[in-house]
Amino acid sequence: MEQLIYLDNAATTAVAPEVLEAMLPFFCEHYGNPSAIYSFASESKAAVDKARTVIANAIGAKNEEIYFTAGGSESDNWALKATAEAYASKGKHIITTKIEHHAILHTAQWLEQNGYEVTYLDVDADGRVNPADVEAAIRPDTILISVMAANNEIGTIEPLKEIGAIAKAHSVLFHTDAVQAFGHIPLDVDEMGIDMLSASGHKINGPKGIGFLYIRRGVKIRNFVHGGAQERNRRAGTHNVPGIVGMGKATELAIANMKETAEYETQLRDYLISRVLEEIPHAVLHGSKEYRLPNNANFGFRFIEGESMLILLDQNGICASSGSACTSGSLDPSHVLLAIGIPHERAHGSLRITISRETTREQIDFTIENLKKIIVRLRSMSPLYEDYVKKNA
Ligand SMILES: *Cc1c(COP(=O)(O)O)cnc(C)c1O
């Protein structure tokens, strides 16, 4: 195989060399338990505190509002299940959207099986939630609104500030799954009226298995993992010190380079989008042109089966995705594409390309050339395409 072209940065990212370097001393050298009293543990404790400060500053929060978890999925589970329990006496209604990550959707379904009612809001053809729909869905027994900051499949950025203002006006809690947005676009919990926010290390060149949940001071939320007194009694378990240090370093780098990275990625993304739409017939862009993550492109190709496209790209060393990593392997079309109105048969022909600041123009050119050949080849084998060509001849 030739060189590896990694275009699946929404699924996970490489750990940055600076991040690894920051983590290494916390395995064999400063391995003390940050909860211990003796001075040997003070290095680990200071490192955890430092990471917490960096992360809190990145979203305009206070240190004591950041709770480390084992990743985005845990943060999402915690935010929903533990507020549902803590606010059950006020009501049992939750509002979310049809395009959330499965960490939210499957948690919401679990809550439905346990006596809660969930409204799943529709989105427009770009994948955006209409804030007026959020407001219209609020009832006296609504306790929580959970809307993602940016979608992991089609890259659409949601109107958080507008939704946050509505939540506040109605005294309903507002949670956002910001796993794809954190470190990529500016987020400010006060400005956006966010009460809880989930993020994950491995989507921002940090390690896997570490994330955090921001919980605004004053929000009642039950603890999620019972045990020791870590994380102010709310999330027990010895701190994952190397992971926390890595997440802190990754956050520091992402924030420091955010503007530059976004400019670079946006330019390369738009180059990719315009070439694909111009050079490949029957191709469409899924998601918003205006409100889009800098690193995301998601295409639909008619008369193509997404899996076959991915296998042929893989044979040329190109890693891409046809939806989210979590749904691949199943034959169900993406719930996100269905929610934006893509018919079943077309939802199967989608391709998600998510770049990074390491992606080069040459890699994108190589990918486009390959994609063009692959699509011609797959269409030449498609009876549907043959019918289409005959009818339109
Ligand atoms: C990746 C992802 C998650 C899950 O995060 P993990 O750290 O892998 O558990 C949740 N939500 C979104 C939007 C994601 O992209």
Side-chain angles (χ1 to χ4, degrees):
M1 198 157 82
E2 303 123 62
Q3 62 153 329
L4 178 82
I5 301 184
Y6 185 75
L7 303 175
D8 201 16
N9 287 280
T12 196
T13 59
V15 168
E18 300 93 321
V19 169
L20 178 64
E21 199 185 323
M23 290 171 72
L24 283 176
F26 294 91
F27 286 97
C28 303
E29 203 179 323
H30 308 303
Y31 54 83
N33 187 323
S35 306
I37 299 290
Y38 38 79
S39 46
F40 171 59
S42 61
E43 286 280 352
S44 336
K45 187 176 182 315
V48 169
D49 291 346
K50 185 180 163 207
R52 202 187 300 279
T53 303
V54 168
I55 289 167
N57 288 341
I59 57 170
K62 299 179 197 74
N63 282 19
E64 67 272 18
E65 294 174 317
I66 303 297
Y67 296 83
F68 288 112
T69 66
S73 300
E74 183 187 320
S75 299
D76 284 346
N77 271 259
W78 187 10
L80 264 60
K81 289 178 187 169
T83 43
E85 198 192 337
Y87 288 85
S89 61
K90 184 195 169 200
K92 292 192 157 189
H93 179 236
I94 293 165
I95 299 170
T96 186
T97 79
K98 289 189 176 162
I99 61 161
E100 298 298 311
H101 189 274
H102 282 138
I104 293 289
L105 286 180
H106 290 167
T107 305
Q109 284 160 15
W110 183 87
L111 285 168
E112 283 185 291
Q113 288 157 13
N114 285 275
Y116 289 82
E117 239 187 287
V118 181
T119 300
Y120 299 92
L121 296 174
D122 284 316
V123 292
D124 69 13
D126 281 349
R128 287 201 110 210
V129 175
N130 182 349
D133 292 347
V134 177
E135 187 151 42
I138 296 176
R139 317 188 312 207
D141 61 340
T142 305
I143 52 174
L144 177 68
I145 296 166
S146 181
V147 177
M148 69 199 323
N151 184 267
N152 47 301
E153 292 187 35
I154 56 174
T156 301
I157 298 169
E158 298 299 340
L160 293 189
K161 197 173 167 181
E162 289 80 353
I163 297 169
I166 289 166
K168 198 166 184 191
H170 293 266
S171 304
V172 175
L173 292 179
F174 177 35
H175 166 257
T176 187
D177 173 345
V179 175
Q180 290 291 335
F182 178 73
H184 292 270
I185 56 171
L187 293 169
D188 186 298
V189 291
D190 285 342
E191 204 181 289
M192 296 172 157
I194 296 164
D195 297 307
M196 288 176 283
L197 179 149
S198 307
S200 178
H202 75 100
K203 304 283 174 79
I204 58 162
N205 304 103
K208 295 169 179 61
I210 184 74
F212 71 88
L213 179 63
Y214 155 78
I215 309 175
R216 182 179 292 280
R217 207 176 168 163
V219 171
K220 278 193 291 176
I221 182 168
R222 297 288 155 86
N223 67 347
F224 195 54
V225 178
H226 300 267
Q230 292 90 354
E231 300 299 275
R232 295 162 300 283
N233 268 320
R234 280 172 150 182
R235 201 277 189 182
T238 300
H239 289 105
N240 171 2
V241 179
I244 291 170
V245 168
M247 170 111 211
K249 190 68 190 179
T251 302
E252 189 186 310
L253 294 172
I255 298 295
N257 302 323
M258 186 186 284
K259 196 165 170 280
E260 214 184 307
T261 304
E263 275 169 16
Y264 176 76
E265 289 177 350
T266 302
Q267 211 179 18
L268 194 57
R269 175 201 73 187
D270 289 345
Y271 169 76
L272 165 70
I273 291 173
S274 57
R275 275 200 64 191
V276 166
L277 297 184
E278 274 164 31
E279 297 173 34
I280 301 181
H282 311 297
V284 293
L285 178 71
H286 295 142
S288 170
K289 280 206 181 73
E290 193 180 353
Y291 304 103
R292 184 170 208 108
L293 285 176
N295 72 346
N296 174 293
N298 187 311
F299 302 103
F301 300 106
R302 282 183 71 188
F303 317 110
I304 294 288
E305 214 272 298
E307 296 277 297
S308 327
M309 190 163 42
L310 293 183
I311 292 165
L312 294 175
L313 284 169
D314 182 44
Q315 286 175 0
N316 294 306
I318 301 165
C319 308
S321 152
S322 66
S324 69
C326 325
T327 36
S328 62
S330 85
L331 287 173
D332 294 334
S334 143
H335 64 284
V336 176
L337 296 180
L338 296 180
I340 62 170
I342 310 293
H344 264 257
E345 66 281 9
R346 291 198 196 177
H348 280 296
S350 72
L351 177 70
R352 179 185 74 182
I353 290 179
T354 44
I355 59 174
S356 76
R357 59 173 181 264
E358 310 292 335
T359 310
T360 63
R361 170 79 71 119
E362 290 69 36
Q363 291 179 327
I364 292 297
D365 285 333
F366 179 78
T367 302
I368 295 168
E369 293 314 322
N370 271 278
L371 196 56
K372 284 161 72 173
K373 284 185 213 145
I374 287 168
I375 285 176
V376 167
R377 182 170 152 201
L378 289 175
R379 281 183 179 154
S380 74
M381 303 186 305
S382 158
L384 288 173
Y385 186 62
E386 204 180 319
D387 281 355
Y388 175 88
V389 172
K390 265 188 214 143
K391 272 189 207 134
N392 292 274

